[in-house]
Amino acid sequence: MAAEIVNPRSDSNTDQDGGAEPLDSFDPAFALHRGGKMAVQATVPVRDKDDLSLAYTPGVARVCTAIAEQPELVNDYTWKSSVVAVVTDGTAVLGLGDIGPQASLPVMEGKAILFKQFGGVDAVPIALDCTGVDEIVETVVRLAPSFGGVNLEDISAPRCFEIERRLQEALDIPVFHDDQHGTAVVTLAALRNAARLSGREIGQLRAVISGAGAAGVAIAKMLIEAGIGDVAVADRKGVVSAGREDLTPVKRELAGFTNKAGITGSLEDALAGADVFIGVSGGTVSEEAVASMAEGAFVFAMANPNPEVHPDVAHKYAAVVATGRSDFPNQINNVLAFPGIFAGALQVRATRITEGMKIAAAEALAAVVGDDLAADYVIPSPFDERVAPAVTAAVAAAARAEGVARR
């Protein structure tokens, strides 16, 4: 395809049906989204026939032939090694649920521009009109030669676990489900700093997670990897424990490495005496349950737009409060993690993103706060320009240390 700017913004003020006043005349969100939020732009000039002969035929043929003979050259002479596919099926979009691939596109475009803005990484939104695990895996595998990494986005659990696992096995590029691992990385970073603020170690803490979906499972795994004292996970039916007979395969696995204390019963039962609450469920936790937590507890109520515990309530009992919202301090925001994680992985052409790389990202993110640590500042702002470079460098170094870097 000739290199050109595509999908320019339209200045039109009429709607597609030629009808009455368009939505963007009274809603700034529609005004911003008109024509889409992205464009493709050439990085080389095509000013005359000499430029054309190099960018396209006949010059391009020499590059194609070289890549055919040495496939690894594709990383040096195309954009492959610096571009990520943002892939969704539209089944678990933000707080909107299963809205389908077309309705998910504004979110995927948003994700792509965050990659560029915060990590300097090019990304292409790809919304798939299929939901079967086999179909999604096969489609992404067939698309993979064009990309240096795959960011899975807003795919509902439990399918997201198998899709990610199978793609990681099939491909030699990083595959990362941000709803799981991005959330876990930022949560761990904030928890490390909350613990540091209180003079405790992660290993001294008992955490309770509300929500056993993609984010809850990933957070539990990462906290265990980081050495948490204990963590219990609760779903709608109560604490996930080995004695329950209604567990899915994912939850049975979860029960095998969490809840060393053997807690049963409800989420509220588990919170009694707990040091940490982490909410990724969208439910509501009573004030009485929060009051039953240990002195100096941490409450990370991350459901959007309505936290499981309102910050005004949480502050009555907790030493540190975090949410997923930008209008309260300590926002647990995935944009703190995924741009730098992919930038670091792409920088060294990693074959995958390991647990060590994710832990390194969390540690680097936590370190950005430094001596400015306070109860209302355990995690940096997404607009802190130190974040992405710190995470990128840490992830690249961890990839080399773990033997998954190709340069």
Side-chain angles (χ1 to χ4, degrees):
M1 183 179 76
E4 59 183 353
I5 297 177
V6 300
N7 193 27
R9 288 181 177 272
S10 168
D11 292 326
S12 170
N13 287 319
T14 60
D15 61 22
Q16 287 185 342
D17 298 323
E21 201 171 9
L23 292 169
D24 54 2
S25 65
F26 57 87
D27 189 328
F30 282 90
L32 182 143
H33 283 78
R34 179 173 285 278
K37 301 191 292 288
M38 298 177 60
V40 175
Q41 185 169 348
T43 60
V44 297
V46 185
R47 300 161 300 195
D48 52 36
K49 66 181 180 64
D50 291 333
D51 288 343
L52 183 61
S53 70
L54 290 174
Y56 203 55
T57 186
V60 72
R62 298 198 296 276
V63 180
C64 293
T65 300
I67 294 171
E69 294 172 352
Q70 300 180 62
E72 68 277 6
L73 293 179
V74 71
N75 294 298
D76 297 311
Y77 295 105
T78 73
W79 78 336
K80 174 182 168 68
S81 64
S82 61
V83 66
V84 171
V86 180
V87 178
T88 190
D89 63 358
T91 56
V93 179
L94 293 175
L96 304 175
D98 185 355
I99 59 174
Q102 293 191 111
S104 76
L105 268 177
V107 177
M108 300 310 116
E109 286 184 3
K111 193 80 173 189
I113 65 174
L114 295 180
F115 264 109
K116 188 66 172 180
Q117 175 73 24
F118 293 102
V121 173
D122 289 308
V124 177
I126 298 175
L128 302 180
D129 190 15
C130 58
T131 58
V133 171
D134 292 342
E135 292 176 297
I136 292 174
V137 170
E138 181 180 358
T139 302
V140 176
V141 168
R142 291 180 183 276
L143 290 170
S146 295
F147 299 98
V150 175
N151 183 92
L152 300 174
E153 190 75 18
D154 293 347
I155 298 173
S156 64
R159 295 174 310 116
C160 60
F161 302 113
E162 184 179 358
I163 289 168
E164 183 188 44
R165 177 185 60 77
R166 287 176 55 180
L167 286 173
Q168 287 171 338
E169 292 172 353
L171 301 176
D172 64 349
I173 57 175
V175 178
F176 185 84
H177 185 209
D178 186 50
D179 300 327
Q180 294 182 60
H181 311 299
T183 306
V185 166
V186 183
T187 300
L188 175 59
L191 186 58
R192 282 194 181 283
N193 276 340
R196 180 163 69 93
L197 183 67
S198 68
R200 287 177 285 178
E201 300 291 334
I202 289 281
Q204 296 175 273
L205 304 176
R206 179 171 73 83
V208 177
I209 299 172
S210 175
V217 171
I219 292 169
K221 288 181 177 179
M222 182 158 284
L223 293 185
I224 293 292
E225 187 76 19
I228 191 88
D230 196 10
V231 56
V233 182
D235 61 13
R236 291 184 180 88
K237 297 181 180 180
V239 176
V240 175
S241 57
R244 280 179 47 181
E245 298 180 353
D246 60 345
L247 300 180
T248 64
V250 170
K251 291 179 183 178
R252 278 199 298 272
E253 179 187 1
L254 187 64
F257 64 83
T258 61
N259 194 17
K260 291 186 294 187
I263 297 170
T264 58
S266 67
L267 169 70
E268 287 74 16
D269 293 330
L271 281 175
D275 303 292
V276 185
F277 168 75
I278 297 171
V280 284
S281 67
T284 300
V285 177
S286 68
E287 182 171 346
E288 292 75 16
V290 178
S292 76
M293 295 177 68
E295 184 177 355
F298 313 139
V299 171
F300 293 0
M302 300 188 290
N304 253 322
N306 299 312
E308 293 88 350
V309 182
H310 193 279
D312 291 344
V313 174
H315 277 297
K316 294 181 183 179
Y317 310 100
V320 175
V321 177
T323 72
R325 288 172 48 156
S326 60
D327 53 346
F328 293 108
N330 296 327
Q331 184 189 19
I332 307 295
N333 191 328
N334 288 17
V335 78
L336 289 162
F338 69 81
I341 289 173
F342 267 100
L346 294 174
Q347 184 181 97
V348 298
R349 294 180 189 166
T351 56
R352 58 193 177 95
I353 294 172
T354 66
E355 289 301 313
M357 292 161 71
K358 289 181 276 187
I359 294 289
E363 291 174 347
L365 181 55
V368 170
V369 170
D371 294 336
D372 295 324
L373 180 65
D376 61 355
Y377 185 56
V378 297
I379 199 74
S381 163
F383 296 99
D384 189 324
E385 294 182 354
R386 299 172 296 170
V387 168
V391 174
T392 298
V395 169
R400 291 191 177 105
E402 299 206 343
V404 297
R406 286 179 282 202
R407 72 169 185 177

